[in-house]
Amino acid sequence: MNKKYSYIGIAFIILLFGIYTVPKVVDRFKDNDLVKFDKVPDFEFIDQEGETITNKTYEDKVYVVEFFFSTCPTICPIMNEKMLSIQDEFFGNPNFGIASISITPEIDTPKTLKEYAKTNGIIHKNWHLLTGKSDAIVYELSNKGFKLYVGKGEDEHGGFEHSGLFALIDKDGYIRSRRDEYGNPIMYYRAIKEQIFDDQIKELKEDIKILLNE
């Protein structure tokens, strides 16, 4: 086949693909079909700057929640890398925030978390690394409030277990998520690749933008 016509054919296919997909992207922003779950329970923590952080800190903001601990040797470094890409995507946006809640508050003091932030490139002013009075309070919030499992684990995992999932919260404090290809709510977004499943950071970024434009 003549190369000229081959290139024209490829260009035509790309054009058709663009015509087909762009309206779908626009429709997602126009028709917000993100599922609404329970409201985030009240919480009160201290961040890496020694400031008291509560739900009110995030009022009228879209934010992402994760549970982590600074000495985690396994999934936390991967989760942090993904969260940094979200930070970069929304850097400087005053209506966006991140809440990283430590599941080992007896280890993760504000001083420890401040050093962790410095070492790991955490610079968004609304990214708060949070520590509480006891792990019991954190476990209650994670396991019952968010229904994201945390608990004691094997030594090879740093002695603790937690999910590699991110929760997306809207401006009114409700947990939100998209649906999968079968119409089922995913509830949370995978930060870690799981066997045949990829992470969902791209989808999470798209849905953050939808909520910011609500």
Side-chain angles (χ1 to χ4, degrees):
M1 180 185 292
N2 187 298
K3 284 188 177 181
K4 174 182 176 183
Y5 292 108
S6 177
Y7 292 145
I8 291 173
I10 292 171
F12 182 68
I13 292 171
I14 292 172
L15 177 62
L16 282 179
F17 180 76
I19 291 172
Y20 176 74
T21 57
V22 169
K24 286 195 166 189
V25 174
V26 172
D27 286 344
R28 270 194 66 76
F29 280 88
K30 187 190 302 181
D31 304 318
N32 181 356
D33 61 348
L34 296 180
V35 181
K36 182 182 287 189
F37 298 95
D38 293 339
K39 200 164 190 176
V40 174
D42 291 339
F43 62 79
E44 181 176 314
F45 294 108
I46 304 298
D47 74 357
Q48 68 269 33
E49 300 297 334
E51 300 292 331
T52 299
I53 304 297
T54 69
N55 306 67
K56 286 192 171 295
T57 306
Y58 292 98
E59 261 187 4
D60 300 321
K61 291 180 177 62
V62 176
Y63 66 106
V64 178
V65 173
E66 67 168 344
F67 290 87
F68 86 114
F69 59 109
S70 65
T71 56
C72 172
T74 53
I75 66 173
C76 290
I78 301 171
M79 293 172 68
N80 181 68
E81 180 183 344
K82 302 298 173 61
M83 200 69 91
L84 284 170
S85 76
I86 296 172
Q87 170 186 255
D88 294 344
E89 184 87 11
F90 300 97
F91 189 77
N93 190 325
N95 299 316
F96 175 72
I98 299 171
S100 296
I101 303 172
S102 171
I103 65 172
T104 58
E106 69 281 3
I107 296 172
D108 291 331
T109 64
K111 182 179 179 180
T112 298
L113 293 177
K114 187 166 186 174
E115 185 59 34
Y116 182 89
K118 182 179 178 181
T119 302
N120 289 278
I122 296 170
I123 54 177
H124 194 296
K125 71 173 185 176
N126 292 331
W127 186 345
H128 302 283
L129 305 178
L130 304 174
T131 186
K133 294 180 180 178
S134 73
D135 55 6
I137 294 173
V138 177
Y139 287 13
E140 180 83 9
L141 178 65
S142 181
N143 291 326
K144 294 186 178 180
F146 282 90
K147 298 178 177 63
L148 288 172
Y149 174 74
V150 301
K152 304 295 183 181
E154 302 295 329
D155 289 342
E156 63 191 48
H157 299 297
F160 299 90
E161 291 182 357
H162 63 103
S163 76
L165 300 172
F166 292 159
L168 174 60
I169 318 300
D170 68 17
K171 295 176 183 177
D172 296 318
Y174 287 91
I175 300 170
R176 303 289 292 272
S177 87
R178 64 170 55 197
R179 300 175 186 271
D180 64 19
E181 63 268 33
Y182 304 107
N184 302 311
I186 65 171
M187 194 160 187
Y188 299 114
Y189 297 77
R190 290 190 303 271
I192 311 293
K193 291 185 178 182
E194 298 175 356
Q195 297 178 350
I196 63 172
F197 298 108
D198 289 332
D199 68 50
Q200 297 172 317
I201 301 305
K202 177 177 177 290
E203 291 80 4
L204 176 55
K205 290 176 180 178
E206 291 174 354
D207 295 344
I208 290 170
K209 290 175 184 176
I210 290 173
L211 293 180
L212 284 172
N213 284 283
E214 273 194 331

